[in-house]
Amino acid sequence: LHHLQEVTASMSPRPQCKPDLEEHSYQRSMVLERCRPSLNRQRSQPVLLFAKKALRNIRLLQRWWRKCSLQLLMVRGETAMRWQQIERAEIHKQQQQQQQQQQQQ
């Protein structure tokens, strides 16, 4: 983000074009066509390269998260099954203790 701010700060402001945006779409495209030669592509290239690199990193992060989320889902399921077994064993122990106390009385 800091690199993007530096690059955009070094760019000259956009040339003043006459945007009649309420007019017909043909007229809007003509305004854009008149402004196009005045744009400095050499200054906009670092921004585009930065955006391309950022998109690649985002896709990489998304791919990594998909893998991790599947692993987390499996671990969560295994942990839930373990807790159920532990709870059943604990309930069984409590029931046995209650039965023994009743038999002793």
Side-chain angles (χ1 to χ4, degrees):
L1 184 62
H2 183 66
H3 176 67
L4 180 61
Q5 290 172 346
E6 288 177 3
V7 171
T8 54
S10 68
M11 293 175 60
S12 63
R14 292 183 117 180
Q16 292 295 326
C17 298
K18 187 177 175 184
D20 290 332
L21 299 179
E22 291 121 16
E23 297 292 325
H24 197 273
S25 64
Y26 173 75
Q27 291 175 345
R28 281 187 281 177
S29 65
M30 291 304 292
V31 168
L32 291 174
E33 195 63 36
R34 279 186 273 147
C35 294
R36 189 166 301 182
S38 64
L39 295 176
N40 190 347
R41 293 177 191 213
Q42 290 178 348
R43 288 191 178 178
S44 64
Q45 188 176 12
V47 175
L48 296 176
L49 290 175
F50 176 78
K52 188 176 179 179
K53 192 175 186 181
L55 286 173
R56 186 177 55 219
N57 289 337
I58 289 169
R59 288 186 187 115
L60 180 70
L61 182 64
Q62 287 174 338
R63 192 177 322 127
W64 172 82
W65 177 246
R66 281 188 214 109
K67 288 180 183 178
C68 285
S69 65
L70 290 176
Q71 290 176 349
L72 287 172
L73 185 63
M74 290 181 355
V75 169
R76 189 175 6 157
E78 292 171 0
T79 306
M81 288 173 50
R82 287 180 194 164
W83 272 108
Q84 286 178 349
Q85 290 173 354
I86 292 170
E87 287 174 349
R88 285 181 188 146
E90 188 66 32
I91 290 172
H92 184 69
K93 284 181 185 178
Q94 289 176 357
Q95 288 175 349
Q96 284 182 345
Q97 287 175 355
Q98 287 176 354
Q99 287 176 357
Q100 286 177 358
Q101 286 176 357
Q102 288 175 357
Q103 289 175 356
Q104 289 177 357
Q105 291 177 358

